Amino acid sequence: MKPAAFEYIVADSVEMAVASLAQAGDAKIIAGGQSLVPMLNFRLLRPSVLVDINRIPNLAYVREDGGVVRIGALTRHHQLETSPVIARHFPVLTEAMAHVAHLAIRNRGTIGGSLSHADPAAELPMMALLLDAELRVVSASGARTVAARDFFRDALSVDLAEDEIVTEVVLPKLPNTGWGFAEVARRSGDFALAAVAVTLTLSDGKIAQARIAMTGVAPTARRVTEAEMLLIGQRLDDGVDSDVIEAVRAATEPPTDLHASAEYRRHLVGVLAGRALAAAWGRA
Ligand SMILES: Cc1cc2nc3c(=O)[nH]c(=O)nc-3n(C[C@H](O)[C@H](O)[C@H](O)COP(=O)(O)OP(=O)(O)OC[C@H]3O[C@@H](n4cnc5c(N)ncnc54)[C@H](O)[C@@H]3O)c2cc1C
């Protein structure tokens, strides 16, 4: 099918984009178009106006700023995947990006689009949760900052009003931290059946801080704080306790669909958590 008719506005500034959104009421931003265009074509969405943000200058960047790394909302997946700044400070994110769709899609898709779309099996919402990201959100009436943990509400649902735009994602640096990432998808480039990302920070040879995030196994990506708490003070030389794996599985609400049953996904996410934790322990 083809999309229903819409008016098309090319914004040349964030101010113009948010003014257009506020004016139209039911407008949609188009960034990479990799998720939006299929939804328009299937007529799952029928906005009266599309506000194209691709020509807004200075919205695509990866920049160090003291203790944080700032990422512009229009930064393409491939830019993240190949950024030396990301590779130095967040190698777990570099690894995750290689699992996002295919190169052609990574060349167009943006971090702002992926986070705002919030597909339940997407990697970037999981990474935003893992890395304690903050999102800068702008509307005609001002700007606000929202923590990733408060941003993702439900499948394809985020804390974003109709007239708001994500302009920047801020990641606090994580020095001296081991990481692990494990994903299973049916084919390379497919959305994850399940994926787990982990960071471990040690103190005196024991785990002082653990972060575990997962995707594909609940309506939104999730952090698994129960399992994280169980890891504090532990060493993983003899493997990961089954309590930790069970806490990961208990925090899931996996769907059954064409690709896998809920039972399979729940089993899988535990296996992936074990692998990601072992890799993170090895690196830490
Ligand atoms: C075949 C295929 C396979 C894919 N596989 C994967 C995969 O394995 N993993 C994965 O994570 N993703 C996958 N994707 C999705 C891809 O990563 C998209 O790029 C991403 O979900 C959306 O980014 P976008 O820039 O294209 O956003 P768009 O499609 O332009 O927009 C998506 C939504 O976000 C809104 N939006 C966009 N930018 C902003 C902003 N700055 N502020 C507020 N709202 C905004 C739009 O209004 C729209 O509602 C796949 C896509 C395809 C077509």
Side-chain angles (χ1 to χ4, degrees), residues 4-40:
F6 53 81
E7 191 190 337
Y8 178 67
I9 296 175
V10 178
D12 58 20
S13 65
V14 170
E15 293 70 30
M16 181 178 172
V18 294
S20 306
L21 290 176
Q23 209 171 10
D26 69 338
K28 277 297 216 184
I29 292 168
I30 182 160
Q34 300 302 302
S35 297
L36 181 64
V37 171
M39 293 184 89
L40 296 177

Side-chain angles (χ1 to χ4, degrees), residues 28-29 31-36 77 101 105 109-110 116 122-123 166 191:
K28 277 297 216 184
I29 292 168
Q34 300 302 302
S35 297
L36 181 64
H77 302 330
I105 292 162
T110 65
S116 305
E123 287 83 1
V166 176
F191 278 100

